[in-house]
């Protein structure tokens, strides 16, 4: 049976769309559900495009009920991918998916992580500090923002004259190039281990 991914997103979802496209006809992995805390995120449109169900939930449902967990169980989800999802993951969800919630962060953690550090806020801080490089971190999710085990990092140079918007574009290009492949590698390595 295929590994089933659920993708959580809060924004437009360019990563979610890219991951759906990557795993479209994959032998071992499929995206089975898209979830969002925002009606106007990309979840519904991407779901319609790839014929994947989508589900929008409220803060109350997420933090005070098991409804999201029931939904994941209903779709037999093995792994949760956070692709621009901005809420802290509650303990009941972490407990259901030990080492199986994967997040992407648009900077080289541990720099520029933590509460409030997301999207353009990250790139603006990197720019303000005149960093000469930025990058991406793909990591397992834990109880604190941006603190779990790092699975993968890669960097990109920041040239003189780069604006926060240019940095954002460079970092997003890395995300699109590497996020699906890192998910695939992480899950397929596990498959191979299971077969031993
Ligand atoms: C991505 O750059 C992702 O790294 C970031 O949100 C963006 C979502 O873009 N996540 C965080 O900042 C988490 N702290 P997208 O909606 O186009 O995929």
């Amino acid at each position: 049976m295929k590994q089933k991914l659920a993708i959580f997103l809060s924004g437009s979802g360019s990563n979610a769309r890219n991951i759906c496209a990557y795993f479209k006809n994959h032998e071992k992995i499929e995206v089975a559900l898209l979830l969002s805390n925002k009606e106007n995120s990309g979840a519904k449109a991407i779901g319609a495009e790839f014929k994947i169900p989508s589900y929008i939930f409220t803060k109350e449902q997420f933090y005070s009920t098991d409804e999201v967990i029931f939904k994941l169980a209903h779709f037999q989800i093995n792994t949760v991918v956070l692709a621009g999802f901005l809420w802290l993951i509650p303990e009941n969800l972490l407990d259901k998916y030990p080492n199986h919630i994967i997040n992407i962060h648009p900077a080289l953690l541990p720099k520029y992580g933590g509460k409030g550090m997301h999207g353009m806020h990250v790139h603006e801080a990197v720019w303000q500090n005149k960093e000469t490089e930025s990058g991406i971190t793909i990591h397992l999710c834990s109880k604190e923002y941006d603190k779990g085990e790092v699975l993968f990092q890669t960097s990109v140079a920041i040239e003189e004259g780069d604006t926060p918007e240019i940095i954002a574009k460079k970092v997003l290009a890395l995300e699109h190039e590497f996020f699906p492949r890192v998910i695939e590698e992480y899950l397929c390595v596990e498959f191979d281990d299971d077969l031993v």
Side-chain angles (χ1 to χ4, degrees):
M1 209 172 100
K2 284 187 186 182
Q3 284 265 351
K4 293 192 178 186
L5 303 183
I7 305 179
F8 283 60
L9 61 146
S10 300
S12 63
S14 72
N15 276 286
R17 177 176 278 106
N18 182 51
I19 294 166
C20 289
Y22 188 88
F23 290 116
K24 198 168 170 205
N25 294 311
H26 197 279
E27 204 189 325
K28 292 178 174 177
I29 297 169
E30 72 172 281
V31 180
L33 184 63
L34 297 161
L35 301 99
S36 183
N37 57 324
K38 290 238 159 91
E39 280 287 345
N40 59 354
S41 71
K44 284 184 180 169
I46 298 166
E49 187 180 334
F50 288 91
K51 300 189 173 46
I52 296 168
S54 59
Y55 174 66
I56 311 295
F57 54 83
T58 64
K59 202 165 222 169
E60 155 80 15
Q61 284 171 314
F62 195 50
Y63 288 110
S64 308
T65 75
D66 282 332
E67 284 178 44
V68 170
I69 286 172
F70 290 146
K71 195 55 117 180
L72 296 173
H74 177 76
F75 284 91
Q76 299 178 302
I77 299 300
N78 315 99
T79 300
V80 169
V81 172
L82 308 177
F85 182 69
L86 302 183
W87 288 356
L88 195 63
I89 300 301
E91 249 173 75
N92 59 347
L93 185 47
L94 284 168
D95 291 345
K96 284 281 173 204
Y97 290 91
N99 296 329
H100 275 265
I101 304 181
I102 304 171
N103 184 42
I104 190 157
H105 187 76
L108 296 168
L109 292 174
K111 284 174 138 185
Y112 303 103
K115 195 168 166 41
M117 269 295 162
H118 57 81
M120 280 311 291
H121 298 289
V122 174
H123 307 304
E124 267 152 23
V126 165
W127 179 78
Q128 287 280 352
N129 288 340
K130 301 189 176 12
E131 297 283 359
T132 54
E133 61 169 17
S134 190
I136 61 170
T137 304
I138 298 169
H139 65 95
L140 297 177
C141 189
S142 70
K143 283 177 200 162
E144 291 173 90
Y145 280 109
D146 306 323
K147 285 276 171 70
E149 181 194 333
V150 171
L151 301 177
F152 177 84
Q153 285 188 307
T154 191
S155 61
V156 63
I158 299 174
E159 314 289 343
E160 236 182 278
D162 279 0
T163 59
E165 288 72 25
I166 293 174
I167 299 171
K169 270 194 188 155
K170 287 181 169 180
V171 169
L172 194 65
L174 289 182
E175 297 190 355
H176 291 171
E177 183 177 355
F178 290 104
F179 199 13
R181 285 159 55 182
V182 172
I183 296 166
E184 180 181 44
E185 199 167 298
Y186 182 65
L187 295 180
C188 289
V189 164
E190 282 197 344
F191 265 112
D192 294 339
D193 285 350
D194 286 349
L195 294 175
V196 175

